[in-house]
Amino acid sequence: MQQNDKGEYSFSTCWNIKRHQVGEAMIQEIRELGFRRVELNYNVTKEMLTSIEPMIERGEIGVSSVHNTFPHVPDPDYGTDSVLLGFQDETKRQKAIQLLVGSAEYAHRYGAEAVVVHPGEVPIPESVSKELAQLYHDEGKDSPKYRSKWEEFVERRQALSTGYVQQIIRSLDEVCNQAAAKGLHVRFGIETRSRPQQIPTLAEAKTIIEALQGAPVGIWYDTGHAIMMDRLGLYDSVGEMQGLMDDIVGVHIHETLGLSDHWCPYVHSKDMHFYDAYLPMIRRARVKVYELKSACTPDEIHESHELLMKKMDKAREGR
């Protein structure tokens, strides 16, 4: 544990949750990588928590963050890819609010600093974003086919997004008021997403955060997702990132190969410079979480972290 101690860095259970039925074994595997803290992701069940909670109480593991909706809710209406806080249906919206407040209660109980939130999406069929991804791969971003389809998509998204963003602001305001009334000391980080119909873009994130000024709401900058959206053409993931530096709650650390995400930075891309652009946001974030796929091996995780640390140290010395 000491040899590979990852210090302040946390690690998401998304890496190994599919390999485990018992929560304690899942957390122990992460501890063996050298992580003192974990992010409990949205697939963690109540059953798993029965063996994780004693580990938290004994101080064997810390919790940096929980990922809404937590613990796992099997209903896809309240899953990670849904309208969630943007529901126009008041009953559904209120349930989404209660689930997020519930996630915050767990976070507070575990001493976590933040709740990662997928706020919602513009209800454009998933088939549209799949078609765009296919065209990106087959024809390229600068091809006439891709450009035409992308422009059509953006026009459709812009026509619909404002109402959903306003509804999300309303919902987050209610969540924060309820959390404050319950004495929950956690921040809510609205996460950059992996599909172009999902909210927020970086501009939408700024709109939401500014509308809720003074509330514990900021950006959860998922670097890999931001890279994907940049590649598709939704926003400038580095340029626009600068305007959100003061609003950062946390980061998900992973790199993207093409449009495939959750790879170890530097190690899988073999590019020793591209990911450097995201180091300022990682440095600024209080909560730093690796969110890696199961294909990443322990050796690759150690190597990636070592490279990241060397680059962070070098940047610090250069200031």
Side-chain angles (χ1 to χ4, degrees):
M1 180 90 173
Q2 290 304 313
Q3 187 182 358
N4 292 311
D5 187 3
K6 302 300 189 297
E8 66 177 323
Y9 286 77
S10 182
F11 196 81
S12 171
T13 54
C14 75
W15 176 66
N16 62 343
I17 192 160
K18 289 181 180 173
R19 293 201 296 272
H20 292 279
Q21 299 296 316
V22 178
E24 183 179 15
M26 175 177 69
I27 300 301
Q28 186 56 38
E29 189 177 25
I30 293 171
R31 286 184 75 217
E32 285 164 7
L33 292 173
F35 290 95
R36 304 176 193 174
R37 303 203 298 169
V38 294
E39 177 172 291
L40 297 172
N41 83 321
Y42 50 79
N43 284 322
V44 173
T45 63
K46 282 186 177 177
E47 290 71 28
M48 286 179 153
L49 290 175
T50 59
S51 62
I52 294 172
E53 286 181 348
M55 296 180 81
I56 298 168
E57 287 161 13
R58 291 192 298 264
E60 291 171 16
I61 195 71
V63 179
S64 64
S65 38
V66 304
H67 197 313
N68 189 61
T69 302
F70 181 89
H72 180 64
V73 174
D75 185 343
D77 270 355
Y78 306 98
T80 53
D81 301 315
S82 94
V83 178
L84 265 183
L85 299 174
F87 275 127
Q88 305 298 311
D89 180 289
E90 189 60 14
T91 303
K92 286 188 170 184
R93 191 180 74 88
Q94 285 300 327
K95 183 169 179 184
I97 286 169
Q98 293 314 312
L99 287 168
L100 180 50
V101 172
S103 295
E105 286 176 317
Y106 274 98
H108 179 82
R109 189 188 314 162
Y110 297 158
E113 296 173 68
V115 180
V116 183
V117 183
H118 290 182
E121 60 184 43
V122 178
I124 294 171
E126 181 60 23
S127 59
V128 176
S129 60
K130 282 182 178 173
E131 187 182 354
L132 282 165
Q134 196 62 52
L135 281 171
Y136 177 92
H137 283 301
D138 297 346
E139 307 279 340
K141 186 180 175 180
D142 296 323
S143 68
K145 273 189 185 176
Y146 183 85
R147 280 173 173 272
S148 171
K149 195 75 187 173
W150 180 256
E151 284 166 16
E152 183 186 311
F153 166 80
V154 168
E155 196 175 307
R156 189 173 174 186
R157 191 190 190 286
Q158 286 175 342
L160 295 168
S161 61
T162 304
Y164 288 96
V165 168
Q166 290 306 312
Q167 195 75 317
I168 285 166
I169 290 167
R170 183 180 164 212
S171 297
L172 283 169
D173 187 44
E174 291 178 39
V175 166
C176 291
N177 287 337
Q178 290 186 34
K182 289 172 179 281
L184 307 179
H185 302 294
V186 294
R187 296 182 75 195
F188 299 92
I190 51 174
E191 184 181 355
T192 52
R193 301 303 319 283
S194 61
R195 298 172 187 173
Q197 75 271 26
Q198 294 173 324
I199 296 169
T201 62
L202 296 185
E204 287 165 351
K206 195 72 179 169
T207 297
I208 293 166
I209 293 161
E210 286 180 349
L212 295 164
Q213 209 163 9
V217 174
I219 183 83
W220 188 280
Y221 199 89
D222 185 298
T223 57
H225 293 169
I227 290 165
M228 290 166 77
M229 293 305 98
D230 190 318
R231 286 179 181 162
L232 288 174
L234 193 64
Y235 52 75
D236 176 353
S237 66
V238 177
E240 291 182 63
M241 176 178 85
Q242 304 309 316
L244 286 159
M245 284 290 187
D246 292 339
D247 304 309
I248 182 71
V249 171
V251 290
H252 277 153
I253 301 167
H254 60 102
E255 199 169 1
T256 299
L257 309 182
L259 296 179
S260 171
D261 55 359
H262 302 289
W263 295 101
C264 294
Y266 304 109
V267 171
H268 288 110
S269 66
K270 309 296 184 196
D271 187 326
M272 290 298 117
H273 303 288
F274 172 78
Y275 198 74
D276 293 359
Y278 302 92
L279 299 183
M281 186 60 101
I282 294 171
R283 188 180 304 111
R284 193 70 173 266
R286 185 176 170 88
V287 189
K288 313 176 202 292
V289 183
Y290 282 96
E291 190 180 57
L292 303 176
K293 59 174 59 186
S294 60
C296 298
T297 67
D299 284 347
E300 289 165 343
I301 293 164
H302 294 316
E303 184 186 353
S304 181
H305 183 69
E306 196 173 317
L307 286 165
L308 191 79
M309 289 302 93
K310 282 178 181 173
K311 285 176 172 289
M312 295 286 261
D313 289 343
K314 193 174 178 183
R316 200 175 291 118
E317 287 163 12
R319 270 202 309 226

mmCIF file with all atom_site columns, all heavy atoms in Angstrom, residues 42 67-69 76 78-82 84 118 120-121 193 198:
data_model
loop_
_atom_site.group_PDB
_atom_site.id
_atom_site.type_symbol
_atom_site.label_atom_id
_atom_site.label_alt_id
_atom_site.label_comp_id
_atom_site.label_asym_id
_atom_site.label_entity_id
_atom_site.label_seq_id
_atom_site.pdbx_PDB_ins_code
_atom_site.Cartn_x
_atom_site.Cartn_y
_atom_site.Cartn_z
_atom_site.occupancy
_atom_site.B_iso_or_equiv
_atom_site.pdbx_formal_charge
_atom_site.auth_seq_id
_atom_site.auth_comp_id
_atom_site.auth_asym_id
_atom_site.auth_atom_id
_atom_site.pdbx_PDB_model_num
ATOM 1   N N   . TYR A 1 42  ? -22.618 4.995  -9.402  1.00 0.00 ? 42  TYR A N   1
ATOM 2   C CA  . TYR A 1 42  ? -24.074 4.797  -9.384  1.00 0.00 ? 42  TYR A CA  1
ATOM 3   C C   . TYR A 1 42  ? -24.510 3.337  -9.509  1.00 0.00 ? 42  TYR A C   1
ATOM 4   O O   . TYR A 1 42  ? -25.703 3.049  -9.406  1.00 0.00 ? 42  TYR A O   1
ATOM 5   C CB  . TYR A 1 42  ? -24.736 5.633  -10.487 1.00 0.00 ? 42  TYR A CB  1
ATOM 6   C CG  . TYR A 1 42  ? -24.097 5.464  -11.846 1.00 0.00 ? 42  TYR A CG  1
ATOM 7   C CD1 . TYR A 1 42  ? -24.366 4.368  -12.631 1.00 0.00 ? 42  TYR A CD1 1
ATOM 8   C CD2 . TYR A 1 42  ? -23.199 6.413  -12.326 1.00 0.00 ? 42  TYR A CD2 1
ATOM 9   C CE1 . TYR A 1 42  ? -23.755 4.210  -13.874 1.00 0.00 ? 42  TYR A CE1 1
ATOM 10  C CE2 . TYR A 1 42  ? -22.587 6.270  -13.556 1.00 0.00 ? 42  TYR A CE2 1
ATOM 11  C CZ  . TYR A 1 42  ? -22.872 5.160  -14.334 1.00 0.00 ? 42  TYR A CZ  1
ATOM 12  O OH  . TYR A 1 42  ? -22.274 4.999  -15.549 1.00 0.00 ? 42  TYR A OH  1
ATOM 13  N N   . HIS A 1 67  ? -21.645 9.174  -6.723  1.00 0.00 ? 67  HIS A N   1
ATOM 14  C CA  . HIS A 1 67  ? -22.161 9.520  -8.048  1.00 0.00 ? 67  HIS A CA  1
ATOM 15  C C   . HIS A 1 67  ? -23.657 9.253  -8.079  1.00 0.00 ? 67  HIS A C   1
ATOM 16  O O   . HIS A 1 67  ? -24.100 8.111  -7.973  1.00 0.00 ? 67  HIS A O   1
ATOM 17  C CB  . HIS A 1 67  ? -21.441 8.683  -9.116  1.00 0.00 ? 67  HIS A CB  1
ATOM 18  C CG  . HIS A 1 67  ? -21.587 9.208  -10.510 1.00 0.00 ? 67  HIS A CG  1
ATOM 19  N ND1 . HIS A 1 67  ? -22.803 9.594  -11.031 1.00 0.00 ? 67  HIS A ND1 1
ATOM 20  C CD2 . HIS A 1 67  ? -20.676 9.435  -11.487 1.00 0.00 ? 67  HIS A CD2 1
ATOM 21  C CE1 . HIS A 1 67  ? -22.630 10.010 -12.282 1.00 0.00 ? 67  HIS A CE1 1
ATOM 22  N NE2 . HIS A 1 67  ? -21.343 9.928  -12.576 1.00 0.00 ? 67  HIS A NE2 1
ATOM 23  N N   . ASN A 1 68  ? -24.433 10.331 -8.206  1.00 0.00 ? 68  ASN A N   1
ATOM 24  C CA  . ASN A 1 68  ? -25.881 10.226 -8.340  1.00 0.00 ? 68  ASN A CA  1
ATOM 25  C C   . ASN A 1 68  ? -26.228 9.380  -9.590  1.00 0.00 ? 68  ASN A C   1
ATOM 26  O O   . ASN A 1 68  ? -25.527 9.469  -10.593 1.00 0.00 ? 68  ASN A O   1
ATOM 27  C CB  . ASN A 1 68  ? -26.449 11.640 -8.515  1.00 0.00 ? 68  ASN A CB  1
ATOM 28  C CG  . ASN A 1 68  ? -27.960 11.706 -8.462  1.00 0.00 ? 68  ASN A CG  1
ATOM 29  O OD1 . ASN A 1 68  ? -28.566 11.369 -7.471  1.00 0.00 ? 68  ASN A OD1 1
ATOM 30  N ND2 . ASN A 1 68  ? -28.562 12.149 -9.547  1.00 0.00 ? 68  ASN A ND2 1
ATOM 31  N N   . THR A 1 69  ? -27.247 8.522  -9.544  1.00 0.00 ? 69  THR A N   1
ATOM 32  C CA  . THR A 1 69  ? -28.160 8.317  -8.447  1.00 0.00 ? 69  THR A CA  1
ATOM 33  C C   . THR A 1 69  ? -27.607 7.191  -7.569  1.00 0.00 ? 69  THR A C   1
ATOM 34  O O   . THR A 1 69  ? -27.299 6.119  -8.077  1.00 0.00 ? 69  THR A O   1
ATOM 35  C CB  . THR A 1 69  ? -29.555 7.953  -8.989  1.00 0.00 ? 69  THR A CB  1
ATOM 36  O OG1 . THR A 1 69  ? -29.996 9.001  -9.854  1.00 0.00 ? 69  THR A OG1 1
ATOM 37  C CG2 . THR A 1 69  ? -30.549 7.768  -7.887  1.00 0.00 ? 69  THR A CG2 1
ATOM 38  N N   . PRO A 1 76  ? -34.659 3.144  -15.417 1.00 0.00 ? 76  PRO A N   1
ATOM 39  C CA  . PRO A 1 76  ? -33.898 3.954  -16.380 1.00 0.00 ? 76  PRO A CA  1
ATOM 40  C C   . PRO A 1 76  ? -34.323 5.423  -16.427 1.00 0.00 ? 76  PRO A C   1
ATOM 41  O O   . PRO A 1 76  ? -33.557 6.281  -16.859 1.00 0.00 ? 76  PRO A O   1
ATOM 42  C CB  . PRO A 1 76  ? -34.156 3.258  -17.723 1.00 0.00 ? 76  PRO A CB  1
ATOM 43  C CG  . PRO A 1 76  ? -35.368 2.405  -17.516 1.00 0.00 ? 76  PRO A CG  1
ATOM 44  C CD  . PRO A 1 76  ? -35.368 2.036  -16.067 1.00 0.00 ? 76  PRO A CD  1
ATOM 45  N N   . TYR A 1 78  ? -34.433 7.296  -14.038 1.00 0.00 ? 78  TYR A N   1
ATOM 46  C CA  . TYR A 1 78  ? -33.578 8.007  -13.081 1.00 0.00 ? 78  TYR A CA  1
ATOM 47  C C   . TYR A 1 78  ? -32.138 7.504  -13.162 1.00 0.00 ? 78  TYR A C   1
ATOM 48  O O   . TYR A 1 78  ? -31.362 7.674  -12.239 1.00 0.00 ? 78  TYR A O   1
ATOM 49  C CB  . TYR A 1 78  ? -34.157 7.852  -11.660 1.00 0.00 ? 78  TYR A CB  1
ATOM 50  C CG  . TYR A 1 78  ? -35.591 8.300  -11.632 1.00 0.00 ? 78  TYR A CG  1
ATOM 51  C CD1 . TYR A 1 78  ? -36.634 7.366  -11.728 1.00 0.00 ? 78  TYR A CD1 1
ATOM 52  C CD2 . TYR A 1 78  ? -35.916 9.650  -11.604 1.00 0.00 ? 78  TYR A CD2 1
ATOM 53  C CE1 . TYR A 1 78  ? -37.957 7.781  -11.771 1.00 0.00 ? 78  TYR A CE1 1
ATOM 54  C CE2 . TYR A 1 78  ? -37.242 10.070 -11.640 1.00 0.00 ? 78  TYR A CE2 1
ATOM 55  C CZ  . TYR A 1 78  ? -38.260 9.134  -11.726 1.00 0.00 ? 78  TYR A CZ  1
ATOM 56  O OH  . TYR A 1 78  ? -39.562 9.549  -11.782 1.00 0.00 ? 78  TYR A OH  1
ATOM 57  N N   . GLY A 1 79  ? -31.801 6.927  -14.301 1.00 0.00 ? 79  GLY A N   1
ATOM 58  C CA  . GLY A 1 79  ? -30.450 6.446  -14.537 1.00 0.00 ? 79  GLY A CA  1
ATOM 59  C C   . GLY A 1 79  ? -29.545 7.570  -15.004 1.00 0.00 ? 79  GLY A C   1
ATOM 60  O O   . GLY A 1 79  ? -29.912 8.753  -14.993 1.00 0.00 ? 79  GLY A O   1
ATOM 61  N N   . THR A 1 80  ? -28.359 7.197  -15.457 1.00 0.00 ? 80  THR A N   1
ATOM 62  C CA  . THR A 1 80  ? -27.357 8.205  -15.805 1.00 0.00 ? 80  THR A CA  1
ATOM 63  C C   . THR A 1 80  ? -27.625 8.877  -17.150 1.00 0.00 ? 80  THR A C   1
ATOM 64  O O   . THR A 1 80  ? -27.101 9.945  -17.417 1.00 0.00 ? 80  THR A O   1
ATOM 65  C CB  . THR A 1 80  ? -25.966 7.561  -15.838 1.00 0.00 ? 80  THR A CB  1
ATOM 66  O OG1 . THR A 1 80  ? -26.021 6.423  -16.694 1.00 0.00 ? 80  THR A OG1 1
ATOM 67  C CG2 . THR A 1 80  ? -25.533 7.130  -14.460 1.00 0.00 ? 80  THR A CG2 1
ATOM 68  N N   . ASP A 1 81  ? -28.413 8.241  -17.991 1.00 0.00 ? 81  ASP A N   1
ATOM 69  C CA  . ASP A 1 81  ? -28.717 8.810  -19.310 1.00 0.00 ? 81  ASP A CA  1
ATOM 70  C C   . ASP A 1 81  ? -30.217 9.058  -19.406 1.00 0.00 ? 81  ASP A C   1
ATOM 71  O O   . ASP A 1 81  ? -30.951 8.298  -20.021 1.00 0.00 ? 81  ASP A O   1
ATOM 72  C CB  . ASP A 1 81  ? -28.246 7.849  -20.421 1.00 0.00 ? 81  ASP A CB  1
ATOM 73  C CG  . ASP A 1 81  ? -26.753 7.579  -20.325 1.00 0.00 ? 81  ASP A CG  1
ATOM 74  O OD1 . ASP A 1 81  ? -25.982 8.526  -20.129 1.00 0.00 ? 81  ASP A OD1 1
ATOM 75  O OD2 . ASP A 1 81  ? -26.352 6.408  -20.431 1.00 0.00 ? 81  ASP A OD2 1
ATOM 76  N N   . SER A 1 82  ? -30.656 10.113 -18.745 1.00 0.00 ? 82  SER A N   1
ATOM 77  C CA  . SER A 1 82  ? -32.080 10.439 -18.770 1.00 0.00 ? 82  SER A CA  1
ATOM 78  C C   . SER A 1 82  ? -32.261 11.947 -18.605 1.00 0.00 ? 82  SER A C   1
ATOM 79  O O   . SER A 1 82  ? -31.299 12.681 -18.386 1.00 0.00 ? 82  SER A O   1
ATOM 80  C CB  . SER A 1 82  ? -32.825 9.686  -17.658 1.00 0.00 ? 82  SER A CB  1
ATOM 81  O OG  . SER A 1 82  ? -32.940 10.476 -16.501 1.00 0.00 ? 82  SER A OG  1
ATOM 82  N N   . LEU A 1 84  ? -33.788 13.394 -16.162 1.00 0.00 ? 84  LEU A N   1
ATOM 83  C CA  . LEU A 1 84  ? -33.550 13.615 -14.735 1.00 0.00 ? 84  LEU A CA  1
ATOM 84  C C   . LEU A 1 84  ? -34.044 14.957 -14.192 1.00 0.00 ? 84  LEU A C   1
ATOM 85  O O   . LEU A 1 84  ? -35.239 15.166 -14.093 1.00 0.00 ? 84  LEU A O   1
ATOM 86  C CB  . LEU A 1 84  ? -32.063 13.415 -14.413 1.00 0.00 ? 84  LEU A CB  1
ATOM 87  C CG  . LEU A 1 84  ? -31.660 12.017 -13.905 1.00 0.00 ? 84  LEU A CG  1
ATOM 88  C CD1 . LEU A 1 84  ? -30.187 11.969 -13.554 1.00 0.00 ? 84  LEU A CD1 1
ATOM 89  C CD2 . LEU A 1 84  ? -32.494 11.547 -12.735 1.00 0.00 ? 84  LEU A CD2 1
ATOM 90  N N   . HIS A 1 118 ? -25.284 13.965 -13.113 1.00 0.00 ? 118 HIS A N   1
ATOM 91  C CA  . HIS A 1 118 ? -25.659 14.077 -14.518 1.00 0.00 ? 118 HIS A CA  1
ATOM 92  C C   . HIS A 1 118 ? -26.978 14.842 -14.506 1.00 0.00 ? 118 HIS A C   1
ATOM 93  O O   . HIS A 1 118 ? -28.015 14.285 -14.161 1.00 0.00 ? 118 HIS A O   1
ATOM 94  C CB  . HIS A 1 118 ? -25.882 12.693 -15.139 1.00 0.00 ? 118 HIS A CB  1
ATOM 95  C CG  . HIS A 1 118 ? -24.633 11.883 -15.305 1.00 0.00 ? 118 HIS A CG  1
ATOM 96  N ND1 . HIS A 1 118 ? -24.631 10.637 -15.881 1.00 0.00 ? 118 HIS A ND1 1
ATOM 97  C CD2 . HIS A 1 118 ? -23.350 12.139 -14.984 1.00 0.00 ? 118 HIS A CD2 1
ATOM 98  C CE1 . HIS A 1 118 ? -23.399 10.159 -15.902 1.00 0.00 ? 118 HIS A CE1 1
ATOM 99  N NE2 . HIS A 1 118 ? -22.605 11.059 -15.363 1.00 0.00 ? 118 HIS A NE2 1
ATOM 100 N N   . GLY A 1 120 ? -29.070 16.145 -16.808 1.00 0.00 ? 120 GLY A N   1
ATOM 101 C CA  . GLY A 1 120 ? -30.171 15.829 -17.724 1.00 0.00 ? 120 GLY A CA  1
ATOM 102 C C   . GLY A 1 120 ? -29.710 15.828 -19.163 1.00 0.00 ? 120 GLY A C   1
ATOM 103 O O   . GLY A 1 120 ? -28.512 15.794 -19.450 1.00 0.00 ? 120 GLY A O   1
ATOM 104 N N   . GLU A 1 121 ? -30.659 15.884 -20.059 1.00 0.00 ? 121 GLU A N   1
ATOM 105 C CA  . GLU A 1 121 ? -30.329 15.887 -21.486 1.00 0.00 ? 121 GLU A CA  1
ATOM 106 C C   . GLU A 1 121 ? -31.486 16.443 -22.297 1.00 0.00 ? 121 GLU A C   1
ATOM 107 O O   . GLU A 1 121 ? -32.616 16.549 -21.804 1.00 0.00 ? 121 GLU A O   1
ATOM 108 C CB  . GLU A 1 121 ? -29.979 14.479 -21.958 1.00 0.00 ? 121 GLU A CB  1
ATOM 109 C CG  . GLU A 1 121 ? -31.082 13.459 -21.791 1.00 0.00 ? 121 GLU A CG  1
ATOM 110 C CD  . GLU A 1 121 ? -30.633 12.050 -22.195 1.00 0.00 ? 121 GLU A CD  1
ATOM 111 O OE1 . GLU A 1 121 ? -29.514 11.636 -21.841 1.00 0.00 ? 121 GLU A OE1 1
ATOM 112 O OE2 . GLU A 1 121 ? -31.422 11.372 -22.865 1.00 0.00 ? 121 GLU A OE2 1
ATOM 113 N N   . ARG A 1 193 ? -20.555 15.610 -20.108 1.00 0.00 ? 193 ARG A N   1
ATOM 114 C CA  . ARG A 1 193 ? -21.103 14.322 -20.492 1.00 0.00 ? 193 ARG A CA  1
ATOM 115 C C   . ARG A 1 193 ? -20.486 13.738 -21.752 1.00 0.00 ? 193 ARG A C   1
ATOM 116 O O   . ARG A 1 193 ? -19.737 14.395 -22.458 1.00 0.00 ? 193 ARG A O   1
ATOM 117 C CB  . ARG A 1 193 ? -22.624 14.448 -20.657 1.00 0.00 ? 193 ARG A CB  1
ATOM 118 C CG  . ARG A 1 193 ? -23.373 14.919 -19.397 1.00 0.00 ? 193 ARG A CG  1
ATOM 119 C CD  . ARG A 1 193 ? -23.143 14.041 -18.189 1.00 0.00 ? 193 ARG A CD  1
ATOM 120 N NE  . ARG A 1 193 ? -23.137 12.628 -18.518 1.00 0.00 ? 193 ARG A NE  1
ATOM 121 C CZ  . ARG A 1 193 ? -24.226 11.882 -18.757 1.00 0.00 ? 193 ARG A CZ  1
ATOM 122 N NH1 . ARG A 1 193 ? -25.422 12.431 -18.685 1.00 0.00 ? 193 ARG A NH1 1
ATOM 123 N NH2 . ARG A 1 193 ? -24.123 10.610 -19.055 1.00 0.00 ? 193 ARG A NH2 1
ATOM 124 N N   . GLN A 1 198 ? -26.562 15.477 -24.334 1.00 0.00 ? 198 GLN A N   1
ATOM 125 C CA  . GLN A 1 198 ? -26.632 15.582 -22.882 1.00 0.00 ? 198 GLN A CA  1
ATOM 126 C C   . GLN A 1 198 ? -26.189 16.956 -22.395 1.00 0.00 ? 198 GLN A C   1
ATOM 127 O O   . GLN A 1 198 ? -25.358 17.616 -23.001 1.00 0.00 ? 198 GLN A O   1
ATOM 128 C CB  . GLN A 1 198 ? -25.785 14.465 -22.247 1.00 0.00 ? 198 GLN A CB  1
ATOM 129 C CG  . GLN A 1 198 ? -26.387 13.084 -22.556 1.00 0.00 ? 198 GLN A CG  1
ATOM 130 C CD  . GLN A 1 198 ? -25.522 11.916 -22.115 1.00 0.00 ? 198 GLN A CD  1
ATOM 131 O OE1 . GLN A 1 198 ? -24.302 11.964 -22.180 1.00 0.00 ? 198 GLN A OE1 1
ATOM 132 N NE2 . GLN A 1 198 ? -26.166 10.855 -21.663 1.00 0.00 ? 198 GLN A NE2 1
#
